[in-house]
Amino acid sequence: MTFDYDLVVIGAGSGGVRAARMAATYGAKVAIVEEFRVGGTCVIRGCVPKKLYVYASRFKDQFDIAESFGWQVDASFDWPTLVAAKEKEISRLEHAYASNLEKPGVEIIRDRAEVTGPNGVRLVRGGRDLTARRLLIATGARPFIPEIPGAEFGISSNEAFDLPALPRSILIEGGGYIAVEFATIFAGLGVDTSIVYRGDCVLRGFDEDMRRGLEAGLTERGIRLIYQTTIASLAKPGDDVLATFSDGVTAPFGAVMFATGRRPNVDGLGLETAGVKMGPDGTIVVDQYSQTSVSSIYAVGDVTGRAQLTPVAIREGWYFAETVFNDNPLAVDHSLIPTAVFSEPEIGTIGLTETEAATHGDIDVYVARFRPMQNSLSDRTERMVLKLITEQDGGKVLGVHILGPGAAEMIQLVAIAVGMGADKADFDRTIALHPSAAEELVTFKAPSYIYRNGHKV
Ligand code: NDP
């Protein structure tokens, strides 16, 4: 049987673009179909613009401590300037992504695609049918908005980047990555910011010291934390959005944002028609090579729900192309993924949390807490935290958790050592770099405390 293409990719985000480029490099005839903008969530309305806004918001802290170093700063902020500069940069990246696809010969089709069978795709706007030996679903995820009365008066991170003006105040629901990152962005830009979260401390699943340290940092920046509460309904009687909370309290906000998780983009894709097996949460079920229950259809990235992170999607797309188009089967190891939260303070983490590690066996925990040197001349009280968790008596490093300036950059490099199976002696052998915060990781002497038989000693 002959096909129009060797591969049709649906979705030109991080995973889809990498897979399409690699497959074309290996000689496959490839088309990629995208209904929005090339680059996907990460480039257009995720990681990249978010990090730019994080940079923008961090000037506030810098201005605050500048005086302690002798500077006099008279600063003001203009939101439209930031939005326009962001748009210029993501447009540049979008064009770079498109040209990187076109160089190895990938055809970009700007349309919405629906799967019609194991080897078929229909272009909705163009009304055309395509056939392909293999299909790759890389459609990502979209914000989940709780079904409450008046939910339409709230926004998600998608809209937050392009608000016509900065609101005077904002209420953000959720306690995950997006909630704390956007809370610190808005607070840094001068917006009166509140987080409402159904749990009892932000970032469930992270190491407790990171969670508590971040909580203190958010509070120090004036962010209000409303715990064990949800938004019951929203209304818009005037300019403000009126939130009614689960405890009956009401309050007006300039804007309300939902950061309540993301769901796979599978609606109307026709996957059921093709017989693709889906998980109970709507994710596409795949094996270690990203193959679905239909042998000609593969899926990578957020739509598979393995880890909603750009570098993971990229790796899955790359390994898919290696496996299918380069006769080199490779499976992504999802067990040791470094991650960062670009909140203020920032968090970087790899491996097991203290709680997780303590349930696996006897462990030693080394913790350093100190004021970051850049704050030492000011009256800021915030503490940096570096935590190293090892098997007992200087064994293998099981987890590293960092809260404070530069945490993301540090953890990316620590991840190499942890991935290589480094033990405490490998860290100890490394000569410290002084003065730095990271030197704490290689100068720990005795453990701060230990766990034996699951109990803290
Ligand atoms: P998260 O899963 O991180 O957090 C979702 C939050 O919403 C949780 O606190 C959750 O509570 C809460 N929540 C979920 N459903 C409801 C509900 N019905 N009512 C009230 N609260 C609810 O998702 P995000 O949206 O923050 O981010 C999505 C994903 O994107 C992240 O998991 C991450 O993988 C990725 N991401 C990564 C970033 C990075 O690498 N820096 C940055 C941004 C996003 P509970 O804790 O109780 O479950």
Side-chain angles (χ1 to χ4, degrees):
M1 193 174 168
T2 56
F3 298 98
D4 300 331
Y5 298 93
D6 296 313
L7 173 67
V8 168
V9 179
I10 306 181
S14 301
V17 166
R18 179 57 58 98
R21 278 178 54 193
M22 299 284 296
T25 308
Y26 292 134
K29 186 179 179 199
V30 184
I32 190 164
V33 191
E34 171 58 56
E35 64 178 333
F36 185 52
R37 295 174 68 176
V38 172
T41 297
C42 172
V43 173
I44 307 299
R45 47 193 182 192
C47 328
V48 173
K50 183 275 306 288
K51 188 88 186 271
L52 293 172
Y53 283 25
V54 165
Y55 283 130
S57 68
R58 284 182 177 170
F59 283 99
K60 164 105 173 34
D61 274 4
Q62 293 300 307
F63 294 147
D64 284 353
I65 60 170
E67 228 171 87
S68 65
F69 290 93
W71 286 90
Q72 292 300 319
V73 181
D74 180 18
S76 65
F77 172 72
D78 183 56
W79 171 254
T81 302
L82 174 64
V83 175
K86 176 271 297 178
E87 188 48 42
K88 194 172 161 206
E89 175 60 3
I90 65 166
S91 295
R92 186 187 71 77
L93 289 171
E94 186 183 4
H95 287 119
Y97 265 63
S99 107
N100 284 341
L101 283 166
E102 282 158 355
K103 268 185 224 149
V106 177
E107 183 185 344
I108 302 172
I109 301 173
R110 293 174 189 273
D111 206 326
R112 176 169 172 81
E114 286 174 12
V115 177
T116 52
N119 302 98
V121 160
R122 174 162 305 135
L123 299 178
V124 177
R125 295 200 285 261
R128 210 155 46 99
D129 285 302
L130 310 176
T131 59
R133 188 174 299 279
R134 294 199 177 77
L135 304 179
L136 178 69
I137 314 300
T139 47
R142 62 175 190 286
F144 159 74
I145 311 286
E147 283 178 23
I148 54 160
E152 67 274 18
F153 299 121
I155 59 168
S156 71
S157 55
N158 285 352
E159 294 77 37
F161 289 113
D162 293 299
L163 289 172
L166 263 188
R168 67 169 178 83
S169 64
I170 190 162
L171 170 69
I172 301 177
E173 174 154 44
Y177 284 80
I178 296 180
V180 297
E181 288 183 346
F182 274 82
T184 46
I185 288 171
F186 281 115
L189 298 180
V191 178
D192 179 61
T193 303
S194 307
I195 286 179
V196 55
Y197 175 45
R198 64 185 179 184
D200 60 3
C201 184
V202 289
L203 291 186
R204 183 170 63 81
F206 280 69
D207 188 89
E208 285 301 314
D209 278 313
M210 301 296 107
R211 300 177 75 191
R212 294 297 165 193
L214 174 61
E215 188 179 53
L218 296 175
T219 308
E220 179 157 326
R221 282 168 184 78
I223 297 168
R224 216 166 292 108
L225 298 169
I226 309 164
Y227 285 152
Q228 292 178 321
T229 307
T230 56
I231 303 176
S233 66
L234 295 179
K236 201 159 191 313
D239 286 345
D240 279 344
V241 181
L242 189 67
T244 302
F245 295 103
S246 48
D247 58 6
V249 171
T250 61
F253 296 91
V256 175
M257 174 174 155
F258 294 103
T260 38
R262 296 174 63 83
R263 296 286 185 274
N265 262 330
V266 288
D267 292 353
L269 262 187
L271 295 171
E272 301 81 0
T273 321
V276 174
K277 195 173 160 206
M278 315 288 282
D281 54 357
T283 53
I284 300 176
V285 178
V286 289
D287 69 7
Q288 58 179 334
Y289 299 110
S290 298
Q291 190 171 32
T292 71
S293 57
V294 176
S295 63
S296 57
I297 304 182
Y298 290 73
V300 296
D302 287 7
V303 77
T304 65
R306 288 173 283 186
Q308 292 184 326
L309 296 168
T310 294
V312 176
I314 291 174
R315 187 61 65 99
E316 289 167 0
W318 165 17
Y319 281 15
F320 154 77
E322 283 291 333
T323 303
V324 176
F325 293 101
N326 197 33
D327 196 21
N328 177 27
L330 288 175
V332 178
D333 177 4
H334 292 91
S335 66
L336 208 53
I337 300 171
T339 182
V341 186
F342 293 100
S343 47
E344 195 61 28
E346 188 171 282
I347 293 174
T349 175
I350 174 104
L352 301 178
T353 65
E354 184 180 319
T355 311
E356 287 167 344
T359 60
H360 280 66
D362 291 346
I363 57 162
D364 297 348
V365 183
Y366 304 80
V367 187
R369 288 174 212 277
F370 51 94
R371 287 175 74 205
M373 196 174 180
Q374 68 177 16
N375 290 350
S376 57
L377 303 185
S378 71
D379 56 5
R380 297 192 76 127
T381 57
E382 194 169 289
R383 304 255 150 189
M384 181 150 191
V385 183
L386 289 98
K387 180 187 269 193
L388 185 71
I389 303 165
T390 70
E391 290 171 346
Q392 64 171 323
D393 304 328
K396 195 170 158 191
V397 175
L398 301 173
V400 181
H401 307 273
I402 303 174
L403 174 109
E409 302 291 343
M410 284 183 233
I411 216 70
Q412 175 67 89
L413 298 178
V414 169
I416 301 171
V418 177
M420 290 171 74
D423 58 26
K424 177 72 167 56
D426 294 313
F427 276 61
D428 292 345
R429 203 178 305 115
T430 308
I431 293 179
L433 188 154
H434 185 74
S436 70
E439 68 180 308
E440 297 292 336
L441 289 175
V442 298
T443 52
F444 281 124
K445 296 284 180 292
S448 307
Y449 49 91
I450 61 178
Y451 283 81
R452 296 293 177 261
N453 300 317
H455 297 291
K456 192 170 174 178
V457 180

